[in-house]
Amino acid sequence: MIVILIGYMASGKSTLGRILAKKLNYEFLDLDDFIEKKENSAIKDIFKSKGEIHFRKLETHYLKELLDSKNNLVLSLGGGTPCYSNNMNTILNAKNAKSIYLKASIPTLIARLKNEKSKRPLIAHIETDDLLTEFIGKHLFERSQFYSLANVTITTNNKVESDIVEELVLELF
Ligand SMILES: Nc1ncnc2c1ncn2[C@@H]1O[C@H](COP(=O)(O)OP(=O)(O)OP(=O)(O)O)[C@@H](O)[C@H]1O
Ligand SMILES: O=C(O)C1=C[C@@H](O)[C@@H](O)[C@H](O)C1
Ligand SMILES: [Mg+2]
């Protein structure tokens, strides 16, 4: 099986994906890290030198490559992956795959993101907490229609990582 974790920036996809893979004895891949390795460039540098549209094309290309070639994999996507091209359909139609939306509230996301803006090019330039709150509220509203199509939704607010992973395992098997 391929377990595909989706959700907004800082919803915990990379953190929880790594723990879940260990527990299942699956390979773990993070699509952002995979792109950085393949392109030999940090995502913020790809955004800067070639623009977001180029990054979105790379994201679609590598998503398909991984879904077509891997098994026994936990794959954590980028925050925007399900929301561009036809990626959410690709995810839902992938063979032997289960998609999970890690749903976190706006206050939870803000608390995490205000300290971790620099490597996330979409929010790195937002200077105040008020502007960040406004941006995330609107952005999450636009994106949640894609995220909500996932096979399973798990809310993560105020839950410790180990409990969320337990819940994930119960949903998967
Ligand atoms: N359940 C949790 N409780 C508390 N903190 C958490 C939890 N899950 C993740 N975090 C913390 O939130 C931050 C963001 O998590 P992570 O990097 O895994 O998010 P992500 O969904 O992969 O984000 P991105 O889409 O930007 O790659 C990290 O500092 C992580 O330690
Ligand atoms: O939410 C987004 O659009 C992004 C999230 C990150 O995971 C990276 O994929 C990139 O910074 C874009
Ligand atoms: Mg991540």
Side-chain angles (χ1 to χ4, degrees):
M1 179 172 32
I2 302 181
V3 182
I4 304 170
L5 299 184
I6 73 176
Y8 199 71
M9 286 180 265
S11 57
K13 302 177 297 292
S14 304
T15 308
L16 297 167
R18 211 163 268 124
I19 303 172
L20 178 66
K22 214 171 244 171
K23 197 163 180 111
L24 299 178
N25 208 12
Y26 276 18
E27 181 182 2
F28 171 72
L29 284 173
D30 185 286
L31 187 60
D32 285 334
D33 295 345
F34 190 77
I35 294 170
E36 290 189 334
K37 250 185 220 137
K38 288 280 188 174
E39 297 296 312
N40 199 20
S41 179
I43 285 171
K44 67 174 173 31
D45 296 329
I46 300 175
F47 267 69
K48 209 191 265 172
S49 62
K50 299 202 168 150
E52 180 175 352
I53 303 287
H54 180 75
F55 171 75
R56 297 300 171 194
K57 289 180 181 167
L58 292 173
E59 196 174 34
T60 297
H61 171 80
Y62 289 120
L63 170 69
K64 283 187 183 148
E65 179 180 308
L66 289 173
L67 295 181
D68 284 346
S69 63
K70 294 280 185 180
N71 194 13
N72 295 346
L73 172 74
V74 176
L75 176 63
S76 295
L77 300 185
T81 316
C83 315
Y84 292 88
S85 307
N86 204 22
N87 294 346
M88 199 60 212
N89 272 327
T90 302
I91 291 164
L92 291 171
N93 292 325
K95 268 188 240 125
N96 202 20
K98 202 154 183 180
S99 50
I100 297 180
Y101 171 25
L102 298 173
K103 188 172 184 177
S105 69
I106 294 173
T108 300
L109 294 170
I110 289 162
R112 292 182 193 162
L113 284 169
K114 66 180 183 185
N115 304 315
E116 293 189 4
K117 286 191 292 192
S118 63
K119 67 180 172 81
R120 295 176 165 98
L122 292 178
I123 55 168
H125 63 285
I126 299 178
E127 277 174 7
T128 67
D129 289 357
D130 280 353
L131 287 172
L132 185 65
T133 304
E134 188 186 331
F135 176 84
I136 293 174
K138 185 161 173 271
H139 205 207
L140 185 60
F141 174 72
E142 289 162 357
R143 287 183 165 191
S144 41
Q145 59 175 314
F146 296 96
Y147 298 152
S148 303
L149 296 170
N151 299 129
V152 175
T153 296
I154 291 197
T155 49
T156 62
N157 302 311
N158 307 316
K159 291 180 187 168
V160 294
E161 291 157 11
S162 55
D163 286 351
I164 301 168
V165 171
E166 289 295 331
E167 227 179 290
L168 282 169
V169 173
L170 287 176
E171 286 289 351
L172 289 170
F173 299 99

